[in-house]
Structure formats: structure tokens, C-alpha cells
Amino acid sequence: MEPNYRHYSTEELEDVFEHIDSEQYPERYHAVRQRLLQRYSPMSNTPPVAADAPPSPPASGQTTYQHEAVPDCVDIDLALLKPVENNQQPLGVVPYLLSGIGFIPLLGIPFAVIALIWGLLTSRPGGKRLALIGLVALLSANGYLYLVLHKTNISGNDNEQRQTQQLQDNLNTLYSQVELYRFRHGEYPPSLPALRQAFPLSKVSLQDTSFKNSQEDFYYQRLDSAHYQLLARGDDGKPLTDDDILPATDRNINDVSGLLPKSASSAEGATAAQ
């Protein structure tokens, strides 16, 4: 028994046409094909009627159209004849506005992510373009953020290096002043304030900035008339430890200098502790 395809809906005809074996059932294949061509035709707006129903007479002033059979030799892609779905409208202004905001440095990162996800999930025309714009905006915002953080890190390292160099310069200047004090007075100064009084025009800072929240001067101690200790305490804030910072001594006056080296200073500190 041959099926009556006139009573099939368009979706049912499409399903039959997609799965029918054209070699085994050539007549059914051509019948379904002809029926789909009629359904896709812009002139076919009348509902299906029964196979044995007589043709309806045309209304007054109405022109009737006869759907001629399309020869099988004509290769027609039925998908091209399907009407465009109403929901396939292009994307509006809002998603592109979000993607544009995504180019704003730092602030635009969440908007770029929204535009990217929106473009990937939507099936409407323009989705791939929106996803591409969102991706470019996200990369731009992240690139700017990386440059800002990188520049901040470099600036922080430069400031730390300058502070360390300034600390070493202050120690070296104090070392020279201590040796000059001995040359003038025959002994080393009893303290750093006494050294400052001997050189009132000196602008070198006495503050030990080698550790955080430092409120103390450099560590100075005159051991006797010929020896002394001068150092910065280092990160631990304690003198006579492994992280102490000593002045860079001048070789020309190193032989007559009373500054104890670090090893001697540590040994002296250990003896004092006992």
C-alpha cells in the first residue's frame, strides 16, 4: 500500500526524504521530492486536502497556479528552498556595545568575557564575529594589565636597588669620616653623634635603613683607641649577625684602618655575649 503523502506535514516529508532509499523505492522518493518542492514554493500556501477530494473552484478574481512536476534530471537542493527561520535575526547593538567596552583597560575584562561567551553560544548571524571581537578585547585588556604590573615590578626593583646603594654610600662616607676623625684627634670617635659634631656640614644620614621600620642609627662601637665596629644590621635588624652590611673599605687606608672585618666583629660579638 502506497502512502498518501498529501496528508504528511512538511516536517514528516523532510524526515521521509532524508531516510528513504531512492534505489529501492524510486517512486516514493520522487513523490516526496515533488511534494516538498510544492511545499517550499512561495505559491504553495493552501493546506493539504484529501487525496480523493475534488479540486476546489477558484474564487472570483483569484488566479490559480498549477505546480508542474520538476524533471528528475534537474538537481535541486531542497535545503535552498526552505524558508528562513524567523529567529535567525542578526545580533543587535547590545552585544557589540559590550565587546567595545571590553577594550577599556582593566575595567573592560568582564565585558570582553561576556561578549566572547555570547558569541560562542549564539546561533544567530554575527556570533563568530562577536566572539572574535570579544577575544581581541580580552587579549588587549590582559596585555595592558600585564604591562602595568610588569612596570610596577620593575619600578619596585629599581627603588630597592637605589635604597640599597644609598645605604652602602652612607656607610662608606661614615667610614671615611671615622678614619679622618682619628687622623685629626688621635683616636676614634666615641659615638656617631660625636662624629656628626666633628663634621657639622656633612649631610650623610646616620639612619640604618637596612631593615623594615628602622628607627635606629647605624651600629657603631669603639672597642678601644685603635679599633671600632661600623655596620648596618641587615634584614634581621640585629648587629653582629651573618646578614650585616659593612663599609667598602679603601685599600689605600685599609692597612691603618681600625675597622674590624666581619669575621672579627662576629667573634667579638660572641665573646661579649659570653
Side-chain angles (χ1 to χ4, degrees), residues 53-239:
S56 301
S60 177
Q62 182 180 7
T63 303
T64 60
Y65 298 91
Q66 297 294 332
H67 297 288
E68 298 181 357
V70 180
D72 296 337
C73 61
V74 179
D75 186 11
I76 299 178
D77 189 356
L78 295 178
L80 297 178
L81 299 177
K82 292 182 179 180
V84 180
E85 298 293 338
N86 294 331
N87 60 352
Q88 296 299 314
Q89 298 294 332
L91 292 173
V93 179
V94 175
Y96 291 105
L97 180 61
L98 292 178
S99 62
I101 298 177
F103 284 94
I104 300 177
L106 304 182
L107 179 63
I109 292 180
F111 295 95
V113 173
I114 293 175
L116 176 60
I117 297 176
W118 193 334
L120 293 176
L121 296 181
T122 185
S123 60
R124 299 171 65 179
K128 293 183 179 180
R129 184 186 301 109
L130 177 63
L132 179 60
I133 297 175
L135 179 60
V136 174
L138 183 61
L139 294 177
S140 301
N142 284 334
Y144 180 82
L145 178 61
Y146 171 79
L147 291 177
V148 170
L149 295 179
H150 183 65
K151 185 177 181 180
T152 303
N153 186 34
I154 293 178
S155 301
N157 293 336
D158 292 342
N159 292 334
E160 184 177 355
Q161 292 178 358
R162 285 195 295 267
Q163 292 177 359
T164 301
Q165 185 61 43
Q166 184 64 44
L167 173 72
Q168 188 66 58
D169 293 342
N170 291 341
L171 269 177
N172 297 341
T173 302
L174 289 177
Y175 165 74
S176 300
Q177 291 179 355
V178 169
E179 294 298 333
L180 183 58
Y181 185 97
R182 183 195 181 193
F183 178 79
R184 292 179 178 178
H185 300 85
E187 61 178 2
Y188 289 111
S191 62
L192 290 181
L195 179 67
R196 173 56 56 85
Q197 292 178 0
F199 298 94
L201 299 180
S202 176
K203 297 182 179 180
V204 61
S205 175
L206 302 180
Q207 185 177 4
D208 183 1
T209 59
S210 60
F211 58 97
K212 294 182 179 180
N213 302 324
S214 171
Q215 300 294 333
E216 302 182 33
D217 293 341
F218 290 110
Y219 180 83
Y220 174 81
Q221 184 177 8
R222 185 177 68 177
L223 302 178
D224 51 45
S225 59
H227 298 92
Y228 67 96
Q229 294 172 326
L230 176 64
L231 52 87
R233 295 168 178 81
D235 293 335
D236 61 1
K238 300 178 181 179

